[in-house]
Amino acid sequence: MEILEELKAFRCKDIPYSRVLSSMCTIPHPIAVKAHVEFINTNLGDPAIFRGSAELEREVIGMIGKLLHHSNAKGYVTSGGTEANVQAVRAFRNLKKVERPNVVVPESAHFSFDKAGDVLRVEVRKAKLDDEFKVDVGDVERLIDENTVGIVGIAGTTALGQIDPIEELSKLALEKDVFLHVDSAFGGFVIPFLDLDVKFDFELEGVSSVTVDPHKMGLATIPAGCILFRDSSFLKALVVETPYLITEEQFSLTGTRPATGVASTYAVMKLLGFEGFRRIVRDCIKATRYLVEKMNDLGFEPVIEPVMNVVCFKCEKAFEIRNELYKRGWVISAIRNPRALRFVVMPHANFNVIDEFIEELKKVLRKF
Ligand code: 0PR
């Protein structure tokens, strides 16, 4: 019992989500926690033993595939968006077999692509953004050469929640015969539930793979990311032999891995369904609008009209204000270019949380 008390003392030092307005993660849905516990001692690294868990993973891939217009997509549940992005780049590199491979990503790409470039020895070229902070497709085209194995578009950028012109990137990928990976780690569980007329997933012919993370807006437990490919040729390009196991090959990057995220994703998706997610996304968008109103009242202007539940406000003193808020127990983030305060309005960031935050911010602003 003493040990558990000790653990509790550590855990109490963590900042509660009700004071966090910068995270793409949130309190998981209660059914996700139950599902997670049920699968606590599973290991998908050995699917011959955990064959029920492996079957469930295939179901989940089918369900997420369906959400992204391709119920026959092939993939697996990863440890998160980082592993998913690394695996996409790895598959492209292995399939294209050029000597000095490169990928072209937007300047707004998540830092996981820098990790991918480093571990895979693939050059990561960064394409400029336009004045709406979407990738400039002309610049992507300029950066493509005979060593380019793939290009990347982001559907829900980390900083601003912006959506790149994936339709144009898809055309370009087909024209240049390179693969296109869409990173919708955040947006994958948002965009399908918005009333937005944008195509970003497998319905576009040029899209080869998609990252989408249930542990972000999917309300699943951490770790639960997902990589989906258009067909099994990409998974084959990732395979290594595991000769002493009953299943003789493995395409995941990690070896031993839990099915907890698989089970929690399944549970939330089954329980909520399309309509349930639509409600959650609608509430997050309402709260985002409320935050924008309150920030406008304080004289702050958004960098772009928020596309989803991520919003940044222009602010020269962004880092100083972020640090001062942190001292007072609140977590928001700050971005450099343009200098701005950044917010992710997750389901835990309800109107009450926003009101409390604004009161604290007013006090902080008096100091500046
Ligand atoms: N792709 C995009 C577009 C992302 O925003 C992220 C993470 C990833 C990939 C990588 O996903 P994993 O972190 O699951 O590997 N974006 C979040 C961010 O940088 C990660 C995060 C989440 C950071 C919660 C802090 C935090 O409290 O904001």
Side-chain angles (χ1 to χ4, degrees):
M1 229 29 223
E2 227 171 79
I3 297 170
L4 292 181
E5 289 305 315
E6 273 174 42
L7 289 176
K8 220 179 258 172
F10 282 104
R11 180 70 179 106
C12 280
K13 292 182 187 169
D14 293 346
I15 299 175
Y17 272 117
S18 59
R19 289 292 175 273
V20 177
L21 294 170
S22 61
S23 173
M24 287 188 164
C25 297
T26 188
I27 304 161
H29 193 287
I31 202 167
V33 178
K34 286 195 180 137
H36 186 109
V37 171
E38 189 69 36
F39 280 71
I40 200 72
N41 51 16
T42 53
N43 171 22
L44 284 170
D46 199 339
I49 301 176
F50 296 94
R51 50 195 183 193
S53 301
E55 188 183 329
L56 185 62
E57 184 175 42
R58 288 190 291 276
E59 285 271 324
V60 166
I61 293 304
M63 286 156 72
I64 299 179
K66 197 168 166 205
L67 181 69
L68 304 176
H69 295 99
H70 188 23
S71 23
N72 208 19
K74 305 291 178 207
Y76 72 98
V77 175
T78 62
S79 53
T82 301
E83 182 184 345
N85 288 340
V86 170
Q87 288 286 73
V89 176
R90 183 172 160 227
F92 295 178
R93 184 201 65 175
N94 291 357
L95 285 169
K96 287 283 183 190
K97 295 190 178 79
V98 295
E99 215 167 289
R100 289 171 192 277
N102 69 67
V103 285
V104 181
V105 311
E107 264 176 9
S108 53
H110 185 256
F111 51 74
S112 46
F113 290 98
D114 295 325
K115 296 183 184 177
D118 191 29
V119 293
L120 298 168
R121 294 184 179 275
V122 171
E123 183 197 345
V124 178
R125 298 184 173 174
K126 306 223 166 147
K128 291 198 189 81
L129 307 184
D130 64 16
D131 51 13
E132 291 182 290
F133 301 91
K134 296 181 185 180
V135 75
D136 175 340
V137 180
D139 205 43
V140 175
E141 181 167 9
R142 187 184 64 80
L143 290 169
I144 295 175
D145 64 17
E146 66 283 2
N147 293 318
T148 302
V149 297
I151 60 177
V152 172
I154 320 286
T157 58
T158 307
L160 291 165
Q162 184 56 286
I163 305 173
D164 285 327
I166 309 292
E167 214 164 336
E168 287 174 53
L169 290 174
S170 165
K171 280 188 202 134
L172 182 65
L174 293 171
E175 197 183 298
K176 298 281 181 183
D177 190 28
V178 293
F179 296 118
L180 168 59
H181 174 65
V182 176
D183 181 359
S184 62
F186 186 78
F189 273 101
V190 180
I191 302 166
F193 312 112
L194 291 171
D195 297 316
L196 258 190
D197 187 24
V198 290
K199 295 193 169 90
F200 76 102
D201 59 21
F202 290 107
E203 76 181 306
L204 298 170
E205 204 190 328
V207 172
S208 299
S209 54
V210 179
T211 290
V212 47
D213 288 351
H215 70 201
K216 296 189 168 78
M217 281 296 284
L219 309 186
T221 53
I222 297 171
C226 180
I227 179 69
L228 290 181
F229 292 107
R230 185 168 288 278
D231 60 56
S232 56
S233 65
F234 296 91
L235 287 181
K236 282 203 190 101
L238 296 174
V239 154
V240 298
E241 286 180 14
T242 56
Y244 59 92
L245 298 178
I246 292 176
T247 44
E248 288 176 342
E249 51 184 39
Q250 192 171 91
F251 44 71
S252 56
L253 186 60
T254 50
T256 303
R257 61 187 179 102
T260 48
V262 170
S264 63
T265 303
Y266 181 89
V268 179
M269 289 186 80
K270 274 275 166 161
L271 185 74
L272 292 183
F274 203 89
E275 277 318 304
F277 275 113
R278 190 184 280 283
R279 264 197 312 276
I280 283 165
V281 168
R282 194 192 51 210
D283 288 349
C284 289
I285 298 293
K286 272 192 197 157
T288 306
R289 292 210 185 106
Y290 184 66
L291 175 67
V292 171
E293 249 175 60
K294 295 282 160 190
M295 290 296 281
N296 281 344
D297 292 345
L298 296 177
F300 291 100
E301 201 189 311
V303 174
I304 56 165
E305 269 313 301
V307 178
M308 47 188 82
N309 47 330
V310 180
V311 57
C312 288
F313 298 91
K314 293 175 208 163
C315 177
E316 278 308 315
K317 292 232 172 332
F319 286 84
E320 291 87 339
I321 291 175
R322 179 202 66 180
N323 293 347
E324 184 58 32
L325 282 163
Y326 187 66
K327 275 193 221 153
R328 293 159 177 256
W330 282 92
V331 193
I332 65 164
S333 48
I335 60 167
R336 284 195 202 107
N337 196 12
R339 227 156 245 263
L341 299 169
R342 169 180 172 269
F343 297 84
V344 187
V345 187
M346 296 299 286
H348 63 262
N350 55 34
F351 282 50
N352 285 339
V353 170
I354 292 172
D355 283 338
E356 282 166 354
F357 169 75
I358 291 288
E359 287 315 307
E360 196 66 46
L361 178 62
K362 280 183 189 162
K363 287 183 206 152
V364 167
L365 290 176
R366 279 186 215 126
K367 294 186 70 171
F368 288 92

